[in-house]
Amino acid sequence: MISKSEDTREHIISVAFELFLTKGYKEVTMSELEKATGLTKGAFYHHFKDKLEIFEAAVSGKIARMRFRPDAERLKSGSLREFIGSYVEHNEKVARYLLNNLHINYADLQFSNIVSDVMTYMPGFKEEIIKMTSEELNMWEGVIYRAKE
C-alpha cells in the first residue's frame, strides 16, 4: 500500500517532469512547481532539498521507463520491418503516456533540451544517457546488418 507521503512525492515528480520536459530545467521555478502541484513550499522541502533533487528524481525515474527495449529473441530473429514496427509502436506508447498521464503533446516535447539539461545538471547520469544511446544504436546496426545479409 502506498502512503500519502509516497503519493505526494510521486505527484511532485510527475508534475515536475511535465514542466521540465516542456520548458527545460532552467526555466522552471520552485514557485511554478508549487503552483502547478497545489503544494506549499514546506511540502516540497519535506520531500526534496531543492529543485535539482526533484529534477534528478523525475529524470531518473521517468526517462528510464520510456526507453525502447525490445525482447532479446525478437531482436535477434526479427526482420528490419518488424523492428521498425516495434520501434514505432513503442514511440506511440510513449506519446500516449505523455499525453494521457502528463498532458504533454509529443509535438511540444523538448526531449533534446531535457537531455542537454541532464548532461549539464546531472553529470553522473550522463554516462547512463550515453550507454542507453549506444545500446540503441547497436540494436539498429545489428538489425540493419542482418537485413542487408
Side-chain angles (χ1 to χ4, degrees):
M1 186 169 159
I2 297 175
S3 71
K4 184 165 175 45
S5 180
E6 289 169 340
D7 284 345
T8 301
R9 183 177 168 83
E10 189 56 39
H11 175 65
I12 292 169
I13 289 169
S14 291
V15 170
F17 189 61
E18 177 180 348
L19 290 170
F20 293 138
L21 277 176
T22 56
K23 297 181 79 175
Y25 175 79
K26 229 168 145 180
E27 299 302 316
V28 176
T29 65
M30 283 303 289
S31 58
E32 184 175 16
L33 286 167
E34 291 166 25
K35 184 177 178 183
T37 59
L39 298 169
T40 64
K41 187 177 287 195
F44 273 90
Y45 291 111
H46 173 74
H47 296 282
F48 300 97
K49 67 180 180 185
D50 55 24
K51 183 174 86 169
L52 181 58
E53 189 175 27
I54 298 168
F55 180 70
E56 290 171 345
V59 167
S60 60
K62 303 283 185 184
I63 286 196
R65 285 187 222 149
M66 295 190 314
R67 190 171 161 204
F68 177 61
R69 292 185 185 115
D71 81 49
E73 264 324 294
R74 192 172 181 187
L75 185 61
K76 289 177 189 171
S77 62
S79 69
L80 178 59
R81 179 184 300 269
E82 290 170 332
F83 182 79
I84 291 171
S86 66
Y87 192 81
V88 168
E89 182 181 313
H90 168 76
N91 285 319
E92 288 171 344
K93 283 180 186 175
V94 168
R96 279 192 302 278
Y97 167 80
L98 291 170
L99 187 59
N100 296 334
N101 297 2
L102 302 178
H103 314 293
I104 299 172
N105 187 326
Y106 209 69
D108 297 331
L109 182 63
Q110 301 293 318
F111 196 74
S112 61
N113 288 350
I114 198 94
V115 171
S116 175
D117 287 344
V118 165
M119 300 294 216
T120 302
Y121 300 107
M122 295 174 61
F125 201 68
K126 179 179 181 176
E127 293 304 315
E128 184 64 25
I129 295 287
I130 291 168
K131 180 182 169 193
M132 288 188 305
T133 302
S134 177
E135 287 173 0
E136 190 168 322
L137 286 173
N138 287 337
M139 280 189 279
W140 278 101
E141 286 175 355
V143 170
I144 290 170
Y145 178 79
R146 273 196 335 276
K148 285 167 58 175
E149 287 185 335

